[in-house]
């Protein structure tokens, strides 16, 4: 949506007319996905226009935003996402707290009457509701205020986000710094357990075990977001040679957040494991892929619709721009293929989600329908008699690989490309080097210099510190 025309208010005096013009303008914007219905209050795969604190799956009409603010909420979300090309819908965080702030004192909502008092109350509600995410909500309140003023939908007033930015613990030393790093990095014992399970061999693992352990292997081969392996094709391995003529192997990832397809090179030590993981995943999905191929050849629309309503393509909710056929996908399975309590349905195709992966990497929190009792579902670790407290998240693996890259001196530009980040500045968030690792790097750098004077008469260790500060520490 790079050619979206920006909304320009025509009326200098009439706030309500400017608001109405904006609502009409937003309705003419291209939909955010093929399934999006502008008139619906539930934009499938994008956002539901529900009140603050309502579960994302809740479709009770009583939990919708107040009717007087829904038209503006829809217009504002589609406009922001069209102009900024963001996949998140954090704009609605601001809308939700504003709704609550106004309804505490008024029976309905007039967007043209939003002022600093309303935003102050909304910021307080955000602080009480979102916890560590309240700063972000405050930022979106400030963005909304700027938008309303610039588009002359409200009278001019100034307002700044009063919520303080959370404490930065990325490079913090001491106990807090260690706790922050430990939280973002995977538990070493849990990782070793997964490695031991993977080493049992394909013939000794259940289909679900093969899916989990092989996917974790891929996520340890090159940095990716947890959902990105699901976009892989069967020919995902890329073979080439480096500048010295040595064999090089990469994974052809489709990276989200605007980066698209990219070959991410694999460390030579991981190549055999990666190749084995891909082989196992191919074997696991071979029958369902053959079924998808037979459906394509049959041309029978009724059978195809039973297999998938979007056949022959997979409908990725988080990546609607993806055009991957069921017959080409590495991760295509039959419905209930991983379910031990149900019979596999070999007439319906299914693809796992990131939840399928993460739910198997920790003790379950799911409860039965009629009680608070936990459902009888064992994690990967519990199924193989490892401690039930073992836990790993897919995103921790991304943090781990990024930290390893940083510790070993990978440059920021190459690092961001390898990790599939559009902005190299984001590397810092994934860097969890310890103070000891920084000190070691510092000492190694000092060893390269003699304590003599440079041409300006300054000791060379000052040159060393300067170089270290701006190139090694990313300051």
């Amino acid at each position: 949506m790079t050619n979206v025309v920006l909304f320009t208010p025509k009326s200098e005096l009439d706030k309500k007319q400017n608001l109405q013009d904006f609502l009409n303008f937003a309705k003419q914007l291209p939909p955010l996905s093929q399934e999006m219905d502008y008139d619906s209050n539930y934009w499938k795969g994008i956002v539901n226009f529900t009140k603050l604190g309502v579960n994302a799956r809740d479709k009770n009409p009583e939990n919708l935003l107040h009717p007087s603010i829904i038209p503006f909420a829809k217009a504002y979300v589609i406009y922001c996402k069209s102009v900024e090309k963001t996949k998140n819908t954090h704009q609605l965080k601001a809308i939700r707290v504003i709704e609550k702030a106004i309804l505490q004192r008024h029976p309905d909502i007039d967007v043209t009457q939003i002022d600093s008092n309303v935003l102050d109350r909304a910021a307080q509600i955000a602080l009480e509701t979102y916890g560590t995410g309240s700063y972000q909500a405050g930022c979106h309140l400030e963005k909304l205020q700027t938008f309303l003023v610039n588009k002359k939908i409200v009278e001019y007033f100034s307002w700044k986000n009063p919520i303080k930015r959370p404490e930065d613990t990325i490079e913090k030393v001491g106990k807090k710094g260690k706790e922050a790093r430990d939280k973002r990095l995977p538990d070493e014992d849990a990782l070793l357990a997964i490695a031991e399970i993977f080493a049992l061999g394909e013939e000794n693992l259940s289909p679900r075990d093969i899916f989990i352990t092989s996917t974790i292997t891929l996520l340890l081969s090159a940095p990716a977001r947890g959902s990105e392996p699901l976009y892989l094709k069967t020919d995902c391995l890329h073979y080439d040679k480096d500048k010295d003529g040595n064999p090089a192997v990469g994974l052809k990832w489709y990276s989200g957040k605007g980066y698209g397809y990219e070959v991410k090179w694999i460390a030579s030590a991981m190549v055999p494991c990666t190749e084995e993981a891909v082989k196992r995943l191919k074997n696991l999905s071979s029958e369902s892929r053959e079924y998808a191929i037979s459906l394509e050849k049959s041309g029978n629309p009724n059978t195809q619709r039973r297999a998938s309503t979007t056949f022959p393509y997979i409908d990725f909710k988080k990546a609607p721009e993806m055009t991957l056929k069921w017959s080409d996908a590495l991760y295509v399975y039959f419905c209930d293929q991983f379910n031990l309590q149900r019979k596999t349905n070999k007439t319906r195709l299914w693809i796992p989600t990131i939840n399928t992966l993460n739910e198997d990497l920790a003790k379950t929190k799911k409860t039965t329908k009629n009680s608070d009792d936990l459902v009888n579902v064992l994690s990967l670790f519990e199924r193989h008699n490892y401690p039930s407290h073992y836990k790993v998240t897919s995103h921790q693996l991304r943090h781990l690989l990024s930290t390893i890259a940083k510790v070993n001196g990978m440059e920021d530009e190459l690092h961001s490309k390898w990790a599939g980040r559009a902005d190299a500045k984001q590397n810092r968030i994934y860097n969890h080097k310890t103070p000891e690792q920084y000190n070691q790097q510092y000492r190694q750098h000092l060893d390269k210099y003699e304590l003599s004077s440079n041409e300006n008469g300054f000791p060379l260790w000052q040159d060393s510190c300067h170089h270290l500060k701006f190139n090694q520490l990313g300051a």
Side-chain angles (χ1 to χ4, degrees):
M1 299 181 188
T2 56
N3 297 320
V4 173
V5 179
L6 299 179
F7 171 70
T8 303
K10 295 180 180 179
S11 174
E12 292 292 330
L13 301 175
D14 193 340
K15 297 177 293 182
K16 290 188 181 296
Q17 185 59 51
N18 287 335
L19 174 60
Q20 188 57 53
D21 289 346
F22 172 63
L23 299 183
N24 295 336
F25 173 85
K27 287 183 179 180
Q28 306 307 313
L29 292 174
L32 301 174
S33 72
Q34 293 181 345
E35 294 182 324
M36 176 185 147
D37 177 7
Y38 192 95
D39 294 328
S40 172
N41 293 322
Y42 308 96
W43 289 358
K44 189 174 182 181
I46 302 170
V47 69
N48 295 337
F49 292 93
T50 50
K51 292 181 178 294
L52 183 67
V54 175
N55 187 288
R57 298 181 181 179
D58 190 326
K59 291 193 176 182
N60 185 341
E62 294 181 0
N63 291 328
L64 287 169
L65 289 169
H66 196 274
S68 59
I69 200 172
I70 282 183
F72 176 75
K74 290 180 179 180
Y76 185 63
V77 168
I78 192 172
Y79 181 75
C80 290
K81 287 177 69 64
S82 298
V83 172
E84 300 175 6
K85 292 184 66 178
T86 58
K87 290 190 175 183
N88 64 62
T89 52
H90 294 320
Q91 303 86 4
L92 212 56
K93 287 187 174 183
I95 299 287
R96 284 168 172 152
V97 292
I98 282 178
E99 184 218 34
K100 185 170 181 178
I102 295 177
L103 292 181
Q104 286 176 345
R105 300 190 180 186
H106 302 280
D108 54 19
I109 299 165
D110 183 351
V111 174
T112 66
Q113 298 302 308
I114 291 176
D115 57 19
S116 58
N117 290 327
V118 171
L119 295 183
D120 285 343
R121 297 200 304 274
Q124 182 60 37
I125 293 170
L127 195 59
E128 296 168 354
T129 306
Y130 291 124
T132 55
S134 60
Y135 173 76
Q136 184 184 59
C139 290
H140 281 281
L141 282 171
E142 187 173 329
K143 286 183 179 180
L144 177 58
Q145 179 269 340
T146 301
F147 171 84
L148 293 173
V149 169
N150 288 346
K151 304 307 181 185
K152 297 181 174 60
I153 293 172
V154 299
E155 295 288 349
Y156 174 82
F157 70 96
S158 61
W159 189 84
K160 296 294 182 183
N161 177 15
I163 303 173
K164 292 183 178 181
R165 183 191 293 270
E167 183 181 18
D168 187 350
T169 57
I170 292 175
E171 293 173 359
K172 194 175 183 68
V173 297
K175 184 178 179 182
K176 281 190 176 181
K178 184 179 184 305
E179 289 175 351
R181 286 188 293 274
D182 290 346
K183 185 177 180 180
R184 289 177 173 86
L185 294 174
D187 177 78
E188 187 174 338
D189 291 334
L191 275 187
L192 289 174
I194 296 174
E196 289 172 354
I197 296 169
F198 183 80
L200 291 175
E202 184 178 5
E203 66 281 2
N204 296 314
L205 299 176
S206 69
R208 191 178 186 96
D209 291 344
I210 293 172
F211 161 71
I212 297 295
T213 56
S214 298
T215 302
I216 292 298
T217 302
L218 297 187
L219 289 171
L220 284 169
S221 303
R225 298 165 187 89
S227 60
E228 288 171 4
L230 306 178
Y231 308 150
L232 288 173
K233 297 180 180 180
T234 51
D235 62 344
C236 59
L237 289 174
H238 178 81
Y239 292 89
D240 209 330
K241 294 194 176 188
D242 64 19
K243 63 181 181 180
D244 298 321
N246 299 313
V249 183
L251 275 167
K252 292 182 281 189
W253 291 112
Y254 180 88
S255 177
K257 301 195 176 180
Y259 222 90
Y261 272 105
E262 185 77 17
V263 173
K264 296 184 181 180
W265 301 105
I266 304 167
S268 56
M270 283 297 296
V271 168
C273 293
T274 305
E275 291 177 326
E276 176 64 22
V278 171
K279 179 180 77 70
R280 293 182 186 185
L281 290 167
K282 280 184 178 180
N283 292 340
L284 188 61
S285 60
S286 61
E287 187 178 356
S288 45
R289 271 201 321 279
E290 289 173 4
Y291 179 64
I293 293 171
S294 69
L295 288 179
E296 288 181 22
K297 292 179 178 179
S298 74
N300 187 326
N302 293 327
T303 308
Q304 291 173 350
R305 278 196 297 272
R306 280 198 297 272
S308 167
T309 56
T310 58
F311 194 87
Y313 296 100
I314 301 172
D315 180 22
F316 290 106
K317 307 300 181 187
K318 300 294 184 182
E321 71 278 9
M322 280 288 298
T323 53
L324 177 61
K325 284 187 174 183
W326 287 99
S327 56
D328 294 332
L330 181 63
Y331 282 89
V332 54
Y333 306 111
F334 292 117
C335 276
D336 296 322
Q337 187 168 337
F338 294 168
N339 194 318
L340 299 177
Q341 279 80 41
R342 296 179 184 175
K343 185 178 179 180
T344 301
N345 184 345
K346 294 191 175 183
T347 62
R348 290 192 64 191
L349 297 173
W350 171 76
I351 190 165
T353 67
I354 188 173
N355 291 333
T356 314
L357 178 65
N358 282 330
E359 286 175 358
D360 218 42
L361 294 172
K363 187 177 178 65
T364 186
K365 294 182 180 179
K366 288 185 175 181
T367 58
T368 58
K369 289 183 178 180
N370 301 319
S371 72
D372 293 331
D373 296 334
L374 295 177
V375 296
N376 186 25
V377 177
L378 300 179
S379 70
L380 172 73
F381 305 110
E382 292 171 315
R383 291 198 298 273
H384 289 271
N385 299 315
Y386 288 94
S388 61
H389 68 266
Y390 277 11
K391 177 182 178 181
V392 173
T393 69
S394 57
H395 203 61
Q396 286 175 331
L397 307 182
R398 183 168 166 81
H399 280 264
L400 174 64
L401 290 188
S402 289
T403 300
I404 292 172
K406 189 68 177 177
V407 167
N408 288 279
M410 184 180 285
E411 295 180 357
D412 278 349
E413 186 176 350
L414 179 60
H415 187 183
S416 63
K417 185 168 183 163
W418 188 53
R421 301 187 189 107
D423 188 350
K425 293 178 182 177
Q426 297 171 359
N427 289 341
R428 181 176 177 275
I429 300 172
Y430 291 82
N431 173 28
H432 306 297
K433 287 164 62 175
T434 65
E436 291 77 17
Q437 288 168 329
Y438 274 120
N439 288 336
Q440 182 181 5
Q441 206 168 24
Y442 176 74
R443 287 193 298 269
Q444 289 172 345
H445 194 84
L446 286 181
D447 289 342
K448 297 179 182 178
Y449 293 84
E450 296 179 6
L451 292 181
S452 57
S453 298
N454 62 14
E455 60 184 3
N456 297 317
F458 294 109
L460 279 179
W461 66 264
Q462 291 188 359
D463 289 348
S464 173
C465 292
H466 179 82
H467 180 75
L468 179 66
K469 180 179 179 182
F470 287 95
N471 292 289
Q472 297 297 323
L473 300 184

